[in-house]
Amino acid sequence: RIGTMGRRPARCYRYCKDKPYIRSRFCRGVPDPKIRIYDVGNKAADVDLFPLCVHLMSDEKEQISAECLEAARIVVNKFMSTQVGKDAFHMRIRAHPFHVLRINKMLSCAGADRLQTGMRHAFGKPIGLIARVRIGQILMSIRTRKDNKKFAIEACRRAGYKIPGRQKICIAKEWGFTNFTWEEYNTFKKQGRLVPRGAHCTWRRAHGSLAAAGNKAVLSYELERKSVLEENARKKAAAEKAAAIQAAKDAAAAYQEMLKTRGGKK
């Protein structure tokens, strides 16, 4: 009986080496990835419903197999569905496996050296797909309500056990899956500039013809632009820092005065 080599463990393909090798007309016969569903939960939820967003980020430059991503998706979907309900969250896998893995199959039987060619023509046949990720790249995102924050963090922690390497869990400053911070989102919403796009939204700029805009025309002098919001945020942070420094100085001065008073009494 002639036996063939089984599937190699993922540690054999963990590090990024050489150029990406993707499926093309030159690379045919590639098997389908194990992960076929990238969005789970309440995908149709309005952007206003889930303001909180939790990310699972990669802390290494490595390769993650499609099997790892599928296992992480399953564990997050199971945990969040049992804890908060299947309609109280929306999870999205952000890494996609495109890089093709190859293997040069070797026989493992008596007299195998007579049946195989060793390292001659050792390019290998496609066996699977993996995703090449960099440091700081987001692997998955969960948007939900603010009161479900601890469950989203725990779901990302459990998903990290299914993925090799180191990961970080971070709370996004943006509203849900949008590109706007909470302050920008609320400001643009009051101004009526947000355009819903399902799970995210865009904003209307003060450009274009008035005839095309019609009743939804927004004039530039009516708007508080994004640069103004960023400048206000920087000024606010600087003022808070200066206030904290001044409070520390006042406390130190009061402590020195108290020591002098005690010394004078003695």
Side-chain angles (χ1 to χ4, degrees):
R1 181 182 178 183
I2 298 178
T4 58
M5 181 179 177
R7 178 179 173 84
R8 290 175 182 168
R11 64 174 177 268
C12 299
Y13 302 99
R14 178 177 169 185
Y15 300 106
C16 294
K17 296 187 297 183
D18 304 324
K19 296 180 181 179
Y21 186 68
I22 62 174
R23 185 175 185 175
S24 65
R25 62 193 180 100
F26 304 107
C27 177
R28 299 178 297 275
V30 179
D32 294 330
K34 290 296 185 290
I35 180 170
R36 305 305 296 270
I37 302 173
Y38 292 87
D39 287 80
V40 296
N42 192 359
K43 297 177 288 187
D46 189 71
V47 65
D48 290 330
L49 190 59
F50 297 147
L52 179 69
C53 185
V54 180
H55 297 309
L56 179 66
M57 302 174 59
S58 174
D59 200 28
E60 290 186 14
K61 181 184 178 182
E62 59 178 351
Q63 298 182 151
I64 301 176
S65 66
E67 289 80 5
C68 295
L69 295 175
E70 174 67 7
R73 183 194 68 84
I74 291 174
V75 71
V76 170
N77 187 30
K78 181 69 174 179
F79 180 79
M80 293 296 291
S81 297
T82 55
Q83 296 297 325
V84 303
K86 62 180 182 179
D87 293 330
F89 76 99
H90 176 202
M91 189 272 288
R92 176 175 292 170
I93 299 291
R94 306 279 294 274
H96 290 248
F98 290 120
H99 183 70
V100 179
L101 293 181
R102 300 188 306 268
I103 184 173
N104 182 27
K105 293 185 179 179
M106 307 290 286
L107 301 178
S108 58
C109 63
D113 55 336
R114 297 176 177 270
L115 302 175
Q116 62 190 11
T117 58
M119 290 303 295
R120 284 182 293 179
H121 306 290
F123 189 71
K125 299 290 183 64
I127 60 167
L129 294 168
I130 54 176
R132 295 163 67 100
V133 300
R134 62 185 183 275
I135 297 176
Q137 181 173 339
I138 298 175
L139 303 179
M140 67 172 58
S141 301
I142 304 174
R143 66 181 182 115
T144 182
R145 292 190 293 267
K146 289 188 288 186
D147 54 346
N148 296 331
K149 178 180 179 180
K150 62 178 182 179
F151 298 113
I153 294 176
E154 175 64 17
C156 290
R157 189 189 70 85
R158 296 190 178 197
Y161 288 118
K162 307 296 181 182
I163 301 174
R166 300 186 304 268
Q167 292 82 35
K168 289 183 178 179
I169 301 172
C170 65
I171 310 298
K173 296 180 180 179
E174 290 78 19
W175 181 287
F177 287 169
T178 67
N179 295 325
F180 309 116
T181 63
W182 286 47
E183 182 181 359
E184 292 171 353
Y185 186 88
N186 292 325
T187 301
F188 294 158
K189 187 176 181 180
K190 290 178 182 178
Q191 295 173 348
R193 304 174 63 187
L194 294 180
V195 181
R197 303 290 186 187
H200 68 286
C201 63
T202 58
W203 63 312
R204 290 202 307 275
R205 303 174 183 272
H207 298 283
S209 63
L210 292 176
N215 296 330
K216 296 182 179 180
V218 182
L219 302 181
S220 59
Y221 61 81
E222 298 175 348
L223 306 180
E224 188 176 5
R225 293 187 174 275
K226 190 173 182 180
S227 58
V228 178
L229 292 175
E230 294 175 352
E231 183 65 24
N232 293 339
R234 284 194 294 267
K235 291 181 179 179
K236 183 179 178 182
E240 292 177 353
K241 183 178 180 179
I245 293 174
Q246 186 62 36
K249 289 181 178 180
D250 295 342
Y255 181 71
Q256 294 294 335
E257 187 67 26
M258 181 186 67
L259 292 179
K260 291 180 180 179
T261 304
R262 287 182 180 180
K265 289 182 178 179
K266 290 182 180 179

